Amino acid sequence: MKAICETPALTRIALLVALCCHASVVLAQAAATTDNTETVLKSRASGAQVAGVRSYSQTFKQLGAAYPFQLRGIQHASGVNFGIRADEVVTGARLHLNYSYSPSLLANISHIRVLVNEQVVKTLPVPNESGGRALQTTVDIPPRLITEFNHLSVELIGHYTMECEDPANSTLWANVGNDSAIELTVNSLALPNDLSLLPEPFFDRRDARGLELPFVFARTPDAGQLQAAGAVSSWLGALAGFRGATFPSMVGQLPPKGSAIVFMQTGESVPGVTAPATAGASVSMMTHPSDPTAKLLVISGANIEEMKRAATAVAVGSSALSGASAAISGIQQLEPRKPYDAPNWLAIDRPVKFGELAQPGTLNVSGYSPDLIRVNFQIPPDLFGWRQHGIPVDLKYRYTSRPKDNKSTLNFNVNHEFLTAVPLRPLSYEPPGAVDRVLNRLMDKTMPIGDMLPAQTSFRIPLFKLPARSQLQFHYYHDVDKEGACKGVTLDNVRGTVEPDSTIDISGFSHYLAMPDLSAFGNSGFPFTRMADLSQTAVVLPEKPEAADYGAYLSLMGLMGNVTGYPVHAVTVALGAAQVQSLADKDLLLIGAVGKQPLLTQWAEHLPFSLTDGSKRFRLSDYASRLLTWWDPEQKDRERPGQSELKFNSSSNDAVIAGFESPLQSGRSVVVLTSNQSSGLGQAVKAMLDPDLVKHLQGSAAIIRGKQVDSLVADQTYHIGKIDKVTFVRWWFSSHPLLLVAVGAVSALIIGLLMYLVLRARARARLKRQNA
């Protein structure tokens, strides 16, 4: 500044003008950057760098909208949530909207609004000439509105008359298809190498897409390395949840782009990556040598035990790690798991509160057309419900008191099937009878909390309506009282809630299941997931596995972690059939192509199928045989024994999943995933990850052909679990009624004979006394 002051006046003016121009350019650049770089600035502050650009889209269905949005009334909104990964920043966004609306809407006072995070993005007109037609439009979304977690909603503002109108009139409607999609253009960011970011960037909870993460081995992995990798893949599978997760495998090379998990022992390397020189077990995060925005998680150790220790540390203690690298000096011995104690399953020894199953905020709704209150839960698939009345639910709820007694109800559904309903009574309502009124007053059953009226009820869910993964749905239906034209204005201020201390209880059920049952395996990984850590499971791979075998194994371990919510750190892996005799006390999971699994030949008589070079044999069910079990459909509906066989030659690469009792020990199970070639195993994995396909896995054998799954036979030849002896005898005789009739007839004959002998003896004694 001193130098400027000492220069001539014209020069000073020129310099000041130049400085002002420069400042204006800087300010303009800053203003232009501000719109979309808050995340970028944060990332740069931590050393991140902006890299490549890419685009992707997600439909509303992929984001959780199982059905199209049904917008009703004068004002009604529905929407979906979507997130942005921590290693991405949005540079462009647009909505491809498929919708339709009522032709009776008044165009000048009705419209459809698109909102992102409660801010209006666009207002769509509703001209009468387009009413009732399937329409499509594209809505540009300003990137500045998009944050870490986002909510996109579509709202109908509808009117059909300029005079008094009925908010519940059937002409007030609009539909939004769940095939509508959000398209995002993003810049990738290079995050710092810091283990405290885990599980990011390998898994990001903001990303609703399925997880596909390569696993890389420096050399052909042995059983110990595969056990370590299985623990990590199950941890990631548990995190992925509804998204699903697959883990393609590579040996001796990295994927050209994208993040990956790398396993290597000290002294080993893959191109571009060398195992840390640190002695002992270690976990490191480093940048991909050919993709600056991708990361590698390197799990290493001097020997197999150290590698297992490092993998277990990641699976159960990743939240405690920090820094670019961590040496795992020790890990406390994990306590043994107990049967059926998976974190994702309902506890079997106590009632479980709804607050443990859902976030409290999701248990509240408002408005005359509220969304469903949803409570997700999982149950063990072997609950024995014979002659039981169902699973008890103790429900506590509150709702806005109705002005008078009408048709308002709280409806209970399970998996979109109606169960029952209870009326929503007004505050002044009291059950008939003086005793009931006194008891209700003493128990405060009709005392409101603010303007919310508390209530409580109990109901039972039939066990046959519950697959392993189920959802309870509660729907508040508010009847609108109509007082005539232009009389009163309906205020949309009603609310409803389900209390978090409501409970569901499965503690009174025994565990007993007819096997094999591929439905239990496909939906719950059962019987392997009976122990959450798979400590009673052995996975048998071919002696010389291929990459497809590794990928199928790791993806299945991810599925097990998804089911239980716990890493499978105690699973046993065996390569080849040589050590299978030592695994007799475990449930076995066989993975591999037919020609590489000698156990399939050794146990051929137990299998309901046979695959050889070009030749295939399948045992088929005779559905006519079901007529013989008409007297007990509840127990025999799934038992469809094979009555015929089909043999044919084909070069197709179909996958087969089959189950049978272990030839090594009774009561233990074997499940086989096989195909003509190892590459066909991926079809079985995809079927188990697809909700629309996995429901077709039934019985003891199923064949997978791309997007088609056919269950061929259901020979249920053994049972697992335990029930008390009295119940077992009753249940067994219920399954064999003819034998029950025979036993009854024999018992009647024996009792009659005994009574005859006793009465005959008494008659003789009486005669002797008379003669004496």
Side-chain angles (χ1 to χ4, degrees):
M1 183 61 69
K2 180 179 179 181
I4 292 176
C5 294
E6 292 176 350
T7 58
L10 291 177
T11 305
R12 291 201 301 268
I13 293 173
L15 289 173
L16 289 173
V17 170
L19 287 173
C20 290
C21 293
H22 177 72
S24 64
V25 172
V26 172
L27 290 175
Q29 291 175 344
T33 306
T34 301
D35 286 343
N36 190 39
T37 57
E38 182 178 356
T39 304
V40 178
L41 291 175
K42 292 180 180 179
S43 301
R44 286 175 177 169
S46 60
Q49 298 176 353
V50 180
V53 178
R54 64 189 183 92
S55 297
Y56 63 91
S57 63
Q58 296 172 286
T59 65
F60 285 7
K61 185 175 183 179
Q62 293 173 324
L63 293 172
Y67 302 97
F69 298 157
Q70 309 289 335
L71 307 181
R72 300 290 184 268
I74 59 176
Q75 185 174 5
H76 187 199
S78 290
V80 293
N81 298 314
F82 67 98
I84 304 300
R85 292 177 57 93
D87 57 355
E88 293 177 348
V89 58
V90 176
T91 59
R94 58 178 55 185
L95 169 65
H96 301 283
L97 190 67
N98 302 324
Y99 69 105
S100 61
Y101 56 85
S102 170
S104 299
L105 296 179
L106 295 182
N108 58 334
I109 57 175
S110 302
H111 57 272
I112 296 175
R113 298 196 303 174
V114 178
L115 302 93
V116 173
N117 298 327
E118 305 303 325
Q119 297 195 52
V120 177
V121 173
K122 189 172 183 179
T123 299
L124 303 176
V126 288
N128 296 109
E129 58 271 17
S130 299
R133 294 166 50 190
L135 304 174
Q136 295 180 334
T137 189
T138 299
V139 178
D140 290 324
I141 302 174
R144 60 182 175 81
L145 297 180
I146 298 179
T147 61
E148 182 181 24
F149 292 100
N150 307 275
H151 182 73
L152 183 146
S153 60
V154 183
E155 182 179 31
L156 168 66
I157 305 296
H159 300 280
Y160 66 94
T161 179
M162 296 294 292
E163 299 178 356
C164 303
E165 63 182 2
D166 176 13
N169 193 286
S170 61
T171 61
L172 298 173
W173 64 266
N175 287 7
V176 177
N178 62 348
D179 56 348
S180 301
I182 301 173
E183 181 185 349
L184 299 172
T185 301
V186 297
N187 271 339
S188 298
L189 303 173
L191 299 176
N193 294 325
D194 191 346
L195 295 173
S196 64
L197 296 176
L198 290 176
E200 299 171 5
F202 307 98
F203 167 76
D204 196 313
R205 61 195 175 100
R206 309 167 188 84
D207 194 347
R209 294 168 294 176
L211 176 64
E212 183 174 344
L213 182 65
F215 274 46
V216 177
F217 300 95
R219 58 173 173 81
T220 301
D222 54 24
Q225 286 191 9
L226 291 173
Q227 291 176 23
V232 177
S233 66
S234 63
W235 166 64
L236 291 165
L239 293 173
F242 69 90
R243 305 166 184 83
T246 55
F247 304 98
S249 301
M250 309 177 74
V251 178
Q253 61 178 344
L254 295 174
K257 289 187 177 181
S259 299
I261 311 292
V262 181
F263 293 85
M264 57 177 59
Q265 288 185 229
T266 303
E268 296 178 343
S269 65
V270 295
V273 182
T274 303
T278 305
S282 68
V283 181
S284 304
M285 185 185 294
M286 59 184 64
T287 301
H288 194 298
S290 59
D291 185 354
T293 63
K295 298 297 177 184
L296 303 176
L297 185 66
V298 181
I299 298 174
S300 63
N303 51 51
I304 296 301
E305 292 304 319
E306 290 184 351
M307 186 175 293
K308 289 182 182 179
R309 186 197 311 162
T312 304
V314 170
V316 301
S318 60
S319 59
L321 300 176
S322 62
S325 181
I328 311 301
S329 57
I331 184 169
Q332 185 178 359
Q333 181 65 35
L334 301 176
E335 294 185 5
R337 305 295 300 190
K338 298 178 181 178
Y340 308 105
D341 70 345
N344 284 354
W345 291 5
L346 292 182
I348 64 172
D349 57 351
R350 62 176 177 84
V352 178
K353 295 182 178 181
F354 284 11
E356 301 176 54
L357 306 173
Q359 296 295 328
T362 63
L363 300 178
N364 304 310
V365 292
S366 61
Y368 278 98
S369 300
D371 195 5
L372 297 174
I373 295 176
R374 298 174 174 86
V375 178
N376 297 306
F377 63 94
Q378 293 188 47
I379 60 174
D382 63 342
L383 292 184
F384 187 72
W386 182 75
R387 298 294 188 260
Q388 294 272 9
H389 297 294
I391 296 177
V393 176
D394 182 20
L395 183 68
K396 300 176 182 178
Y397 58 100
R398 290 183 291 123
Y399 59 93
T400 300
S401 178
R402 311 303 301 134
K404 62 181 181 180
D405 197 16
N406 55 22
K407 298 178 182 179
S408 299
T409 58
L410 174 58
N411 304 316
F412 309 143
N413 307 302
V414 59
N415 301 322
H416 299 286
E417 290 188 29
F418 177 77
L419 285 179
T420 185
V422 294
L424 300 179
R425 300 298 188 184
L427 179 60
S428 59
Y429 174 83
E430 290 185 351
V435 175
D436 288 334
R437 287 195 297 269
V438 171
L439 290 176
N440 280 326
R441 289 193 182 98
L442 291 176
M443 299 175 66
D444 289 335
K445 281 192 174 181
T446 59
M447 295 298 293
I449 301 176
D451 64 339
M452 302 283 284
L453 189 64
Q456 183 173 356
T457 189
S458 298
F459 62 95
R460 289 179 177 266
I461 309 173
L463 192 59
F464 71 87
K465 286 183 175 290
L466 294 179
R469 302 189 186 195
S470 297
Q471 184 183 82
L472 272 175
Q473 296 136 357
F474 303 94
H475 176 236
Y476 277 96
Y477 167 73
H478 298 284
D479 189 22
V480 179
D481 296 317
K482 299 179 181 180
E483 300 180 359
C486 302
K487 291 185 178 180
V489 177
T490 302
L491 297 178
D492 198 11
N493 62 348
V494 294
R495 294 177 293 161
T497 183
V498 170
E499 300 290 4
D501 57 346
S502 303
T503 60
I504 180 171
D505 187 4
I506 63 170
S507 59
F509 289 83
S510 301
H511 296 267
Y512 195 68
L513 183 65
M515 295 290 284
D517 189 346
L518 292 184
S519 176
F521 172 71
N523 290 285
S524 298
F526 196 83
F528 309 107
T529 50
R530 179 176 175 271
M531 301 296 292
D533 58 359
L534 267 63
S535 55
Q536 295 183 6
T537 296
V539 180
V540 182
L541 293 170
E543 186 175 357
K544 295 181 179 179
E546 299 179 6
D549 300 312
Y550 299 139
Y553 158 71
L554 293 173
S555 296
L556 284 176
M557 294 303 100
L559 181 61
M560 302 298 177
N562 187 345
V563 168
T564 63
Y566 192 79
V568 298
H569 60 83
V571 67
T572 301
V573 177
L575 299 180
Q579 34 182 328
V580 72
Q581 292 295 332
S582 62
L583 305 174
D585 60 337
K586 295 181 180 292
D587 296 309
L588 303 179
L589 179 58
L590 271 61
I591 301 174
V594 172
K596 298 183 178 181
Q597 270 289 8
L599 289 176
L600 298 180
T601 302
Q602 297 178 22
W603 295 344
E605 68 273 14
H606 302 280
L607 293 170
F609 72 93
S610 173
L611 301 179
T612 57
D613 295 336
S615 177
K616 302 179 182 181
R617 173 185 60 83
F618 294 102
R619 193 184 308 166
L620 305 178
S621 295
D622 184 358
Y623 287 90
S625 67
R626 296 175 63 192
L627 297 176
L628 301 178
T629 60
W630 62 268
W631 40 265
D632 194 3
E634 180 180 355
Q635 292 300 318
K636 290 292 184 179
D637 184 59
R638 293 181 300 171
E639 297 188 15
R640 303 169 189 172
Q643 300 293 325
S644 59
E645 287 188 350
L646 173 67
K647 297 181 180 180
F648 63 95
N649 295 327
S650 172
S651 59
S652 62
N653 197 20
D654 306 328
V656 176
I657 303 178
F660 55 93
E661 187 175 19
S662 174
L664 305 177
Q665 183 172 316
S666 61
R668 288 293 182 180
S669 302
V670 179
V671 174
V672 177
L673 273 79
T674 188
S675 179
N676 287 337
Q677 301 177 11
S678 297
S679 57
L681 298 175
Q683 294 189 70
V685 173
K686 289 179 180 178
M688 295 185 64
L689 291 174
D690 190 331
D692 295 328
L693 296 182
V694 72
K695 62 185 179 183
H696 296 296
L697 286 177
Q698 302 286 339
S700 58
I703 181 170
I704 298 97
R705 297 183 289 256
K707 288 290 185 179
Q708 181 178 348
V709 177
D710 295 303
S711 295
L712 303 180
V713 68
D715 284 330
Q716 296 178 320
T717 57
Y718 67 104
H719 292 79
I720 58 175
K722 185 177 181 181
I723 53 178
D724 63 89
K725 295 180 180 179
V726 175
T727 302
F728 176 80
V729 171
R730 293 175 58 206
W731 171 77
W732 192 85
F733 275 118
S734 74
S735 303
H736 302 80
L738 297 180
L739 184 59
L740 179 62
V741 172
V743 170
V746 172
S747 299
L749 181 63
I750 293 174
I751 292 174
L753 180 61
L754 291 176
M755 291 183 64
Y756 171 79
L757 294 176
V758 170
L759 294 175
R760 184 74 173 174
R762 292 185 63 182
R764 289 176 178 174
R766 185 171 62 251
L767 290 174
K768 287 182 179 180
R769 287 195 301 269
Q770 291 177 353
N771 293 334

